[in-house]
Amino acid sequence: MPRSESSPIVRPHRSLTQQVMDYVRTSVMNGQMQPGELYSVYQLAEELEISRSPVRDGLLRLEEAGMIRFSRNRGFQVIPTTPADIAEIFSIRIALEVPAARRAALSEADESARLAELRIEMQQAAADDDEERFFRADQELHNVILVTGGARRARDIVERLRLNTRLLTPSTVGLYRGFDTIVDEHDPIIDAITRGDDRAAAEAMQSHLVLTGRLLVKQALAQTGDSEDPDELWERLTAGYLH
């Protein structure tokens, strides 16, 4: 795993274990690490210039999250996510984020200014064609809604689910929709929460997640060459989750 100019850089202010997790996650996202390939714990330690102990600790956490698996005495592999996994992931996100949006609208905590700020951040990132920055702001917006809705543990789960989605397929930006369209999808959610309209907040969040999930399933099926109908797969695996 030779370091290149595009190699992910660890952040010194985070623990060594967290730096390892960040490094592997970023390497998967930018394609430097590929699902199914065998990687050496020893090489990773050398690459990061740290001891093997925090490397193993970080990898063990990623294994717990279902992102990697160890191959006995050989190293580790990134676990690929399938189109069916994406549909299941969005079923879980719908189950967690829709009620969180409803609760956020009813919460006494006023996060309207923060949500508006993050919307502006998304717009600015879109104008700069900065996809990484755009989706960081997108993720933080969802995090704020989850926390405001009293779902702190769900926030951690959703963060892992979002990462697992990116293991298989890139975003739908450029192929099915643009940055501005995604910003527009968040407007009804933000507006409903700001107004305190819990029903509209839940409906808007579900609409956004369903659209995103359907597009990602369709894209993943196309990339893997799977002949299964994306709408049929989506309907089957989200049955019972939609309200």
Side-chain angles (χ1 to χ4, degrees):
M1 289 179 292
R3 184 184 293 277
S4 67
E5 292 184 1
S6 61
S7 295
I9 304 300
V10 295
R11 287 171 274 182
H13 66 281
R14 296 167 75 81
S15 72
L16 291 178
T17 297
Q18 190 63 54
Q19 288 182 44
V20 172
M21 296 173 68
D22 290 343
Y23 185 92
V24 173
R25 285 167 175 160
T26 305
S27 295
V28 172
M29 289 178 190
N30 66 21
Q32 186 174 325
M33 285 187 176
Q34 295 291 331
E37 293 289 328
L38 192 65
Y39 297 101
S40 166
V41 175
Y42 303 100
Q43 280 187 292
L44 184 56
E46 290 178 4
E47 175 76 9
L48 298 179
E49 298 180 349
I50 60 178
S51 69
R52 291 192 294 272
S53 181
V55 170
R56 289 188 180 280
D57 288 343
L59 292 174
L60 283 170
R61 291 193 187 183
L62 293 176
E63 182 186 39
E64 291 172 1
M67 291 180 53
I68 70 150
R69 62 169 164 255
F70 286 103
S71 180
R72 187 174 180 83
N73 298 324
R74 297 181 61 202
F76 68 94
Q77 294 174 305
V78 174
I79 299 175
T81 307
T82 68
D85 289 331
I86 291 178
E88 183 179 4
I89 282 169
F90 272 85
S91 294
I92 298 169
R93 287 190 60 183
I94 288 165
L96 296 175
E97 294 192 69
V98 170
R102 182 188 299 276
R103 287 165 57 91
L106 298 173
S107 174
E108 294 182 0
D110 185 3
E111 291 289 352
S112 57
R114 178 60 177 152
L115 293 175
E117 178 183 299
L118 287 166
R119 184 190 185 282
I120 292 172
E121 174 70 9
M122 290 172 69
Q123 284 183 309
Q124 292 174 340
D128 295 336
D129 197 29
D130 189 336
E131 184 170 334
E132 196 63 35
R133 178 181 163 202
F134 181 89
F135 284 109
R136 281 200 304 269
D138 180 353
Q139 179 167 327
E140 180 59 20
L141 190 149
H142 282 260
N143 286 347
V144 169
I145 293 171
L146 283 159
V147 172
T148 305
R152 291 182 181 275
R153 291 182 184 274
R155 173 197 58 190
D156 297 336
I157 293 170
V158 169
E159 284 188 344
R160 291 197 297 270
L161 293 175
R162 289 173 70 112
L163 178 60
N164 285 339
T165 303
R166 294 187 68 178
L167 293 180
L168 177 64
T169 184
S171 75
T172 58
V173 172
L175 182 60
Y176 295 113
R177 56 184 177 174
F179 287 122
D180 290 341
T181 301
I182 299 175
V183 173
D184 290 344
E185 290 172 23
H186 287 82
D187 284 347
I189 305 171
I190 296 171
D191 291 344
I193 291 174
T194 301
R195 295 196 316 270
D197 188 335
D198 61 310
R199 182 172 182 176
E203 290 176 351
M205 178 62 79
Q206 177 166 303
S207 176
H208 166 56
L209 292 175
V210 167
L211 176 59
T212 302
R214 281 183 176 275
L215 290 177
L216 284 171
V217 165
K218 181 179 180 180
Q219 179 170 280
L221 285 170
Q223 287 181 326
T224 59
D226 196 314
S227 61
E228 185 166 4
D229 180 80
D231 292 329
E232 181 181 322
L233 185 149
W234 175 264
E235 295 295 339
R236 174 165 52 83
L237 292 179
T238 60
Y241 285 94
L242 303 183
H243 303 286

